[in-house]
Amino acid sequence: MTPPSPLSPFFSDFSSSEFSDEADHILAHYNRLQDQIAALRDEVEKARVLHRPDEPMPRAPQLHLLVHFGEHRPHLFRQKLRVEPEIFDDILDLISAHSIFHNNSHNPQLPVSIQLAIFLNRAGHYGNSIAVEYVAQWAGISVGTVVNCTNRVMVALLDQHDAFMGFPPPDSEDFQHARDYAARTVCPEWQNGILAVDGSTINVYQKPGFHGEVFFDRKSRYSLGCQAIIMPHNLLIVDYALGHPGSVHDAYAFRATRIYREHATLLPDDHWVWADSAYPLEPWCIPPFKKPRNGRLTNDQRTFNFHLSSVCIILFEGDF
């Protein structure tokens, strides 16, 4: 940066003394500016930042309490992670050897047990109470580490999908246990009702940006629809459909399941799925009788619905 040249036609009418004073004044201002820039540059080089950093956030992790909760207060363990301590250990055994938790970095990852606890804590809660910043404070880690732990555990769990999601063959022990359960719980004549279907919703944090109105469900929330088919004796999920907007009716979302498309090959003869009144009546799908428009149910239909409602209460409210 150079000072403006004192030789200019604009000053040709001034005397030499006046011109000299003006040039000295400009040069003095220029020198002061240069000194200020140099001082600022030196300050930046020393600090390497342009503002004073905030006081570091103190960390007080509470993860160590989970060990105590698991051994002495399992109800508190369930409140935090939404699973029993024994289930937590089973999941940990399944995913610990996954390659996602092993790398050659000089910065080792957190133990897999801690990463799983962080994921379950986030997945088991909803809304502002489980913001990433709150999870970071609870675990005593950074926000970025919370995100990384969540992503790694999701990858490891999704790789277990095919090992746990599948339709058992008709001659399997699961089918026989389901028959025994239905005969014991309801009546022997209905023992071939070995499956149950129901729909639920998974709330999303806020209205989606694209076509958000179709996600507005009957409970006045924005959500995704989920259909699940279970075996009632052990709650094994054998089929599901996920991803429809929350406003989609259960009967329509049910069409996306494998059991709907392939029931002829998946279900033995004279076997069926229990359902509520939202689902279609089929030889392999049994909902209650619906009251006809401007009509009434017969006594036999009301009796059937009464006993079927007891089945739904046992399966859906008690287990599902």
Side-chain angles (χ1 to χ4, degrees):
M1 187 173 184
T2 58
S5 172
L7 300 177
S8 173
F10 180 77
F11 298 112
S12 58
D13 294 335
F14 288 88
S15 64
S16 60
S17 61
E18 290 176 346
F19 178 80
S20 177
D21 292 342
E22 186 67 20
D24 291 342
H25 180 70
I26 293 174
L27 185 60
H29 276 291
Y30 171 76
N31 289 335
R32 282 197 299 271
L33 179 61
Q34 287 285 73
D35 292 341
Q36 291 173 356
I37 293 175
L40 181 61
R41 181 193 61 208
D42 295 341
E43 186 68 24
V44 171
E45 289 181 350
K46 292 177 183 178
R48 297 293 182 183
V49 293
L50 296 179
H51 63 88
R52 184 180 298 277
D54 297 330
E55 185 70 19
M57 173 68 74
R59 295 183 177 182
Q62 303 179 37
L63 289 170
H64 63 281
L65 296 177
L66 293 176
V67 177
H68 174 81
F69 292 164
E71 295 176 354
H72 304 287
R73 292 174 172 81
H75 67 285
L76 296 179
F77 189 95
R78 291 193 298 269
Q79 287 180 5
K80 285 295 183 182
L81 304 187
R82 300 298 184 181
V83 296
E84 297 286 349
E86 297 79 12
I87 301 299
F88 179 89
D89 292 337
D90 290 342
I91 298 174
L92 182 62
D93 292 339
L94 288 171
I95 68 173
S96 291
H98 197 282
S99 59
I100 196 71
F101 299 115
H102 305 278
N103 54 36
N104 297 322
S105 173
H106 295 294
N107 297 322
Q109 296 183 21
L110 292 172
V112 180
S113 58
I114 293 179
Q115 297 194 53
L116 177 59
I118 291 169
F119 168 80
L120 292 175
N121 183 251
R122 291 191 69 191
H125 297 82
Y126 170 76
N128 294 333
S129 62
I130 203 62
V132 180
E133 291 80 5
Y134 294 161
V135 178
Q137 294 175 19
W138 171 73
I141 57 179
S142 67
V143 169
T145 304
V146 171
V147 175
N148 290 338
C149 292
T150 302
N151 293 341
R152 294 189 195 109
V153 174
M154 282 196 295
V155 169
L157 290 177
L158 289 174
D159 280 351
Q160 297 288 331
H161 178 277
D162 294 343
F164 291 93
M165 295 300 304
F167 207 93
D171 58 351
S172 65
E173 291 186 359
D174 278 326
F175 260 65
Q176 186 56 49
H177 290 327
R179 294 188 191 98
D180 295 340
Y181 179 87
R184 184 175 64 254
T185 305
V186 189
C187 64
E189 289 76 10
W190 284 6
Q191 65 176 338
N192 288 347
I194 56 174
L195 299 173
V197 59
D198 199 9
S200 185
T201 55
I202 302 172
N203 297 334
V204 297
Y205 178 69
Q206 61 184 8
K207 178 181 179 180
F210 293 96
H211 308 291
E213 60 278 358
V214 301
F215 292 88
F216 195 72
D217 61 28
R218 60 186 177 84
K219 298 181 180 179
S220 300
R221 297 177 299 195
Y222 295 98
S223 63
L224 291 172
C226 175
Q227 297 288 312
I229 294 89
I230 65 167
M231 305 196 80
H233 70 288
N234 60 359
L235 304 184
L236 176 67
I237 299 177
V238 299
D239 192 13
Y240 69 94
L242 178 65
H244 284 96
S247 62
V248 173
H249 195 275
D250 284 341
Y252 183 85
F254 184 44
R255 300 178 185 179
T257 61
R258 184 185 176 198
I259 191 70
Y260 184 93
R261 300 191 303 268
E262 304 176 23
H263 55 271
T265 57
L266 295 177
L267 289 174
D269 293 338
D270 299 324
H271 286 66
W272 62 85
V273 180
W274 297 111
D276 60 31
S277 59
Y279 294 85
L281 173 63
E282 301 286 351
W284 52 271
C285 182
I286 307 300
F289 285 99
K290 299 177 183 178
K291 182 179 178 180
R293 182 176 298 179
N294 300 324
R296 300 176 62 182
L297 296 176
T298 66
N299 290 334
D300 289 342
Q301 290 174 337
R302 287 198 298 268
T303 301
F304 178 87
N305 285 357
F306 174 80
H307 292 287
L308 179 56
S309 64
S310 64
V311 176
C312 294
I313 290 174
I314 293 171
L315 299 184
F316 300 144
E317 296 185 7
D319 292 332
F320 191 81

